[in-house]
Amino acid sequence: MPYEQDGAEAKEIAKYLPYFPFKGIDRFYDIGGFLEKPEVFQQIVDIFAARYDSIGIDAVAGLDARGFILGPPIALALKKPFIMMRKKGKMPNSISSADYNVEYGKRSGLTVQRDKINKGDRVLIIDDLVATGGTLSSAISLVEMCGGTVVECACVVELKLFIDPPADSGIPSRTKLFKEMNINHVPVWGLISEDVLTVEAKLHEDYEDDGEEH
């Protein structure tokens, strides 16, 4: 039986995904909560591995930086190559996508090494969270530049409020972005949505929002 977004497993895992006020965002979800719980981390890996073993892929691409935590164990479970998509200036012999926007600022394009994705490769893109879709759009562009096909973009958390918000809301639309970039054929799957992410982190009295960008 396929795993469903916000299903029983997701609701249990959500207990280990607290949110913090961080980078000027009221609810910044922290995967450190489940990383310190080996049994929960393993459950997430097992869920993703089961999904993509059934779908069929050739490689797993993880996004800098938290995709580097989630991607390798999933790739190992599937016995598939793991490919790093890094920030500019970090890898030799690489190509770069265009700059992109995220929910808390602007980013330089991602890079991938030229010989890692072959024409026709079926690639799974992994990250911890999808909001506006800016980072994923950059990764999709890279795979397609190399001649590969993105089977799906998979994240532990999907913030649904960014999928297709009202035009007058001022909230960036992932659907609109993907259409403008002609990548709306690429599916996005998240295990958990904000609907079940209700655990507020317990903050120390001296807590400060010391995120790099606001």
Side-chain angles (χ1 to χ4, degrees):
M1 183 176 178
Y3 293 97
E4 298 180 355
Q5 184 177 80
D6 296 343
E9 297 85 2
K11 289 176 181 176
E12 185 63 28
I13 293 167
K15 297 176 183 178
Y16 303 95
L17 271 160
Y19 62 84
F20 293 78
F22 190 60
K23 295 189 177 183
I25 300 171
D26 291 337
R27 293 194 172 196
F28 186 98
Y29 299 100
D30 176 38
I31 68 169
F34 69 72
L35 292 178
E36 68 176 353
K37 301 291 183 182
E39 67 281 5
V40 180
F41 191 7
Q42 185 65 62
Q43 184 182 20
I44 292 170
V45 171
D46 291 346
I47 288 171
F48 279 74
R51 179 178 178 84
Y52 296 104
D53 183 53
S54 174
I55 291 174
I57 62 167
D58 296 312
V60 176
L63 308 190
D64 198 345
R66 288 180 286 274
F68 294 174
I69 299 171
L70 298 167
I74 294 169
L76 285 171
L78 293 168
K79 295 181 171 57
K80 299 297 181 181
F82 177 73
I83 299 167
M84 295 186 293
M85 291 191 167
R86 302 202 66 185
K87 298 164 186 173
K88 286 183 178 179
K90 301 293 185 181
M91 294 190 299
N93 190 36
S94 61
I95 58 173
S96 175
S97 61
D99 293 352
Y100 62 96
N101 292 313
V102 294
E103 59 273 23
Y104 45 80
K106 191 167 185 176
R107 290 282 185 266
S108 297
L110 294 173
T111 66
V112 68
Q113 290 183 311
R114 295 176 185 274
D115 59 348
K116 299 303 180 187
I117 299 173
N118 300 310
K119 186 175 181 180
D121 279 355
R122 291 168 53 82
V123 180
L124 167 65
I125 294 174
I126 293 280
D127 205 3
D128 65 322
L129 179 147
V130 55
T132 64
T135 310
L136 292 183
S137 70
S138 181
I140 294 166
S141 296
L142 277 179
V143 173
E144 296 186 344
M145 286 166 64
C146 296
T149 298
V150 179
V151 173
E152 194 161 72
C153 296
C155 302
V156 177
V157 175
E158 178 181 28
L159 300 184
K160 297 189 297 183
L161 72 96
F162 292 100
I163 295 176
D164 194 19
D168 60 354
S169 67
I171 299 172
S173 168
R174 190 178 85 211
T175 300
K176 181 180 178 182
L177 172 66
F178 275 35
K179 285 181 178 178
E180 289 174 347
M181 296 184 65
N182 294 317
I183 56 173
N184 52 312
H185 57 282
V186 178
V188 176
W189 185 75
L191 176 61
I192 307 168
S193 84
E194 67 268 41
D195 290 350
V196 297
L197 290 169
T198 59
V199 177
E200 183 177 1
K202 296 179 181 178
L203 305 179
H204 291 283
E205 292 181 1
D206 59 350
Y207 178 84
E208 294 182 11
D209 180 353
D210 57 355
E212 294 179 357
E213 298 183 17
H214 292 80

